Amino acid sequence: MSLWEYQARRGNPIPSQSLGPSGARCCCRASSVERSLQVVKMSGSDPERPQLLFVKVLASWGRLEAVTQQMGCHPQYLDSFLKMQHYLMHMDGPLPFDCRHYIAIMAAARHQCRYLVNLHVLQFLRAGGDPQWLRGLNFIPPKLRNLNEINKILAHRPWLITKEHIEKLLKISEWSWSLAELVHAVVLLAHCHALASFVFGCGCEQDEGPGGRGVLKPLSPGNQCFCEATTGNSCSQELLRINRKRSLDSCMELDSLRERMQRIHVEAEGREETRLLQQDQEEGERHEWRWVCRMGAQRGGAGGPSIGLPHLRLSPLADAGGAVTSAANLACYMQDPDFGYQDFARRDEDQTQVFRVQDYSWEDHGFSLVNRLYSDIGHLLDEKFRTVDGLQSSTMAKRQGCEPSVFKRGIWNYIHCMFGIRYDDYDYAEVNQLLERVLKVYIKTVTCYPEKTNSEMFDRFWKQFKHSEKVHVNLLILEARMQAELLYALQAITQYMVS
């Protein structure tokens, strides 16, 4: 049974099928990636490019979240990232929209990334998702729950995935996956795992909390379709004009932005203290009310008048006992929480074969497979990989005493090496020469144990380097990790298809 059919059987509305005021289908359901490309297409020479990209994010999400601000250091990359993410989450695809966001929640929870979990919980509910699913994996369809195993493996030890895992998901049953659905899910998982590394690596997760950048602050236009907000109708142009005015502060230098966020955080802490005092007062009043109710019930049982209790309406995320299950409780979204990264040991080649890029590469194998099973996503992924490789880093490389391409390849190959991926034409002795120890520790922590990263690590490594150069390193980590997971998953799918 497809997840679309499951939603229809339960009587849930499918947002993608709704019609706009003019009777035309929402452009989020366009059948070609060209519509997605037009959404954020801009001239590379446009001096206002970062500001315009920020406005588009404001129109879509109702907020300028921390990830966008950090990626704004490299507008060309942010452009390709937004195109790919919009197509993955909001455009035509095998998976229903609410299921896409729930899979993103499952992926982010593996690294305890509250920032991404909170973001996708809100989008899940906006897409018409069942609030009961947010109580944990025991409350979702078995088909989604079966995805937990490859989610766990891809997040921590992708070299362990085999064609048997793929076969188990695809075997004929009521809850079997199709190849197209599985490829869509795999890209979602890899995207969110890698994005969690970026979130922790750049300190976005540390900003989660009252008044921080991680707090969801929806604006009134936030529910508008992303595509409508970025096309030419007069209403949308007015929206962009308003959002452009509101986002002036967001277009400042990141250091100034951090200072402003810090002031907001201090003010929010003051408001939080006031709220807690009020909460204590209300708790005392509730205690007195429960005592009055209890006494009234006793009198009612003895023939006296009973005190009627008002009907209590449970929160959408409340369980049967009335306790609220919030996004902060991430354990409910994963199984086997102790499963984590382990060093890929070359001495275990009998059990785990080294992945040789000469035998299976993104360019020659992965790209064509993913593009065939999930139309056009391969082009967007490939553009993103090429964009991060083409980012200018001459200053960064010059300080290390090498060519930019050599330095970036050293970082990329070091990350792939940690996942057991080898390039026969590369001398790995160069890694120790190019990357100082502090940088290697940082890269390995953000790649393999992102949840253990703290804000001090971002500030400590490369103190003499610019903020944008540090963000560039984190973008390399994001893309190298995502490609590594995709290579292992797509190779397993290929092996299943040819077996």
Side-chain angles (χ1 to χ4, degrees), residues 223-399:
N223 293 328
Q224 183 168 357
C225 172
F226 180 92
C227 303
E228 290 179 2
T230 51
T231 50
N233 58 57
S234 57
C235 178
S236 299
Q237 290 299 319
E238 178 66 15
L239 171 63
L240 290 180
R241 187 187 66 78
I242 294 172
N243 279 338
R244 184 194 295 272
K245 183 177 180 181
R246 290 179 178 176
S247 65
L248 288 177
D249 289 338
S250 300
C251 301
M252 298 186 301
E253 292 293 331
L254 283 172
D255 291 340
S256 300
L257 187 63
R258 278 209 181 94
E259 292 176 5
R260 178 170 174 265
M261 289 298 181
Q262 183 62 30
R263 289 197 300 272
I264 295 174
H265 182 68
V266 171
E267 294 172 1
E269 285 181 342
R271 291 194 297 270
E272 181 69 8
E273 291 178 3
T274 304
R275 188 185 66 80
L276 290 175
L277 289 175
Q278 293 175 346
Q279 199 174 48
D280 290 341
Q281 183 178 355
E282 292 172 359
E283 179 62 28
E285 293 174 354
R286 282 196 296 269
H287 178 74
E288 293 177 2
W289 169 247
R290 285 195 294 267
W291 180 82
V292 171
C293 292
R294 188 164 56 250
M295 294 300 294
Q298 291 174 359
R299 288 197 299 271
S306 63
I307 299 178
L309 294 177
H311 175 67
L312 299 179
R313 185 173 182 269
L314 294 180
S315 161
L317 305 185
D319 59 23
V324 175
T325 303
S326 69
N329 182 19
L330 305 186
C332 66
Y333 297 122
M334 58 180 171
Q335 298 171 351
D336 194 7
D338 296 330
F339 186 90
Y341 175 82
Q342 289 183 354
D343 286 336
F344 183 92
R346 190 162 184 171
R347 62 179 178 272
D348 294 331
E349 285 190 27
D350 291 340
Q351 290 78 27
T352 307
Q353 291 292 327
V354 171
F355 189 109
R356 301 195 181 280
V357 176
Q358 283 68 22
D359 298 330
Y360 196 96
S361 67
W362 166 256
E363 294 80 5
D364 298 331
H365 306 89
F367 170 80
S368 58
L369 176 64
V370 74
N371 222 39
R372 177 155 53 96
L373 295 174
Y374 181 16
S375 179
D376 294 321
I377 193 65
H379 293 292
L380 294 169
L381 289 170
D382 193 62
E383 178 188 342
K384 199 155 61 81
F385 294 146
R386 293 178 184 275
T387 300
V388 78
D389 184 58
L391 292 179
Q392 297 299 318
S393 59
S394 55
T395 305
M396 187 166 61
K398 187 183 297 183
R399 295 182 186 182

Side-chain angles (χ1 to χ4, degrees), residues 10-309:
R10 289 176 58 89
N12 293 338
I14 300 177
S16 62
Q17 298 297 329
S18 61
L19 299 181
S22 63
R25 219 171 272 282
C26 172
C27 51
C28 286
R29 291 290 291 166
S31 59
S32 172
V33 72
E34 279 74 19
R35 294 298 295 274
S36 178
L37 297 179
Q38 292 169 4
V39 168
V40 289
K41 185 176 181 181
M42 296 184 180
S43 168
S45 59
D46 189 345
E48 295 188 342
R49 191 178 193 190
Q51 292 92 322
L52 292 175
L53 287 170
F54 287 167
V55 169
K56 291 174 186 293
V57 174
L58 273 170
S60 174
W61 295 86
R63 54 177 271 182
L64 187 62
E65 31 97 26
V67 167
T68 304
Q69 295 173 29
Q70 298 285 7
M71 291 183 180
C73 295
H74 302 280
Q76 184 181 5
Y77 175 84
L78 177 59
D79 192 350
S80 64
F81 175 86
L82 291 176
K83 284 188 289 189
M84 194 286 298
Q85 181 171 259
H86 176 67
Y87 187 79
L88 184 66
M89 304 303 303
H90 302 293
M91 296 288 283
D92 249 348
L95 296 176
F97 298 122
D98 58 340
C99 293
R100 303 181 196 190
H101 291 292
Y102 198 88
I103 291 171
I105 293 171
M106 292 172 62
R110 284 307 314 183
H111 288 304
Q112 302 165 36
C113 186
R114 287 183 175 85
Y115 177 95
L116 291 178
V117 169
N118 288 336
L119 192 65
H120 287 285
V121 162
L122 178 60
Q123 293 300 315
F124 170 80
L125 294 173
R126 282 182 176 175
D130 186 349
Q132 290 298 315
W133 290 14
L134 299 179
R135 295 173 63 184
L137 299 184
N138 293 330
F139 297 87
I140 63 176
K143 181 169 182 173
L144 276 178
R145 191 161 55 247
N146 292 341
L147 201 64
N148 179 70
E149 184 69 13
I150 66 168
N151 176 32
K152 176 182 73 174
I153 293 174
L154 285 176
H156 305 293
R157 306 175 208 169
W159 57 86
L160 295 182
I161 194 168
T162 64
K163 66 177 183 179
E164 283 73 27
H165 292 106
I166 306 302
E167 184 177 8
K168 184 177 179 181
L169 290 170
L170 297 178
K171 67 179 181 181
I172 299 176
S173 69
E174 184 181 3
W175 302 109
S176 64
W177 289 72
S178 69
L179 270 173
E181 289 175 331
L182 183 56
V183 167
H184 193 171
V186 162
V187 176
L188 274 167
L189 292 173
H191 170 71
C192 292
H193 294 156
L195 190 56
S197 285
F198 183 86
V199 167
F200 281 104
C202 288
C204 303
E205 177 74 6
Q206 279 71 33
D207 292 321
E208 186 81 9
R213 286 176 292 181
V215 178
L216 299 177
K217 305 173 188 175
L219 302 174
S220 54
N223 293 328
Q224 183 168 357
C225 172
F226 180 92
C227 303
E228 290 179 2
T230 51
T231 50
N233 58 57
S234 57
C235 178
S236 299
Q237 290 299 319
E238 178 66 15
L239 171 63
L240 290 180
R241 187 187 66 78
I242 294 172
N243 279 338
R244 184 194 295 272
K245 183 177 180 181
R246 290 179 178 176
S247 65
L248 288 177
D249 289 338
S250 300
C251 301
M252 298 186 301
E253 292 293 331
L254 283 172
D255 291 340
S256 300
L257 187 63
R258 278 209 181 94
E259 292 176 5
R260 178 170 174 265
M261 289 298 181
Q262 183 62 30
R263 289 197 300 272
I264 295 174
H265 182 68
V266 171
E267 294 172 1
E269 285 181 342
R271 291 194 297 270
E272 181 69 8
E273 291 178 3
T274 304
R275 188 185 66 80
L276 290 175
L277 289 175
Q278 293 175 346
Q279 199 174 48
D280 290 341
Q281 183 178 355
E282 292 172 359
E283 179 62 28
E285 293 174 354
R286 282 196 296 269
H287 178 74
E288 293 177 2
W289 169 247
R290 285 195 294 267
W291 180 82
V292 171
C293 292
R294 188 164 56 250
M295 294 300 294
Q298 291 174 359
R299 288 197 299 271
S306 63
I307 299 178
L309 294 177

Side-chain angles (χ1 to χ4, degrees), residues 414-452:
Y414 175 59
I415 295 167
H416 277 194
C417 181
M418 289 186 285
F419 288 115
I421 299 175
R422 301 287 196 273
Y423 294 80
D424 290 344
D425 60 349
Y426 186 72
D427 180 8
Y428 284 89
E430 288 186 8
V431 171
N432 292 328
Q433 299 171 5
L434 295 171
L435 310 181
E436 57 192 54
R437 185 178 181 277
V438 175
L439 177 57
K440 287 173 66 177
V441 170
Y442 176 81
I443 291 175
K444 183 168 184 178
T445 305
V446 174
T447 303
C448 306
Y449 319 96
E451 62 277 6
K452 296 182 180 180

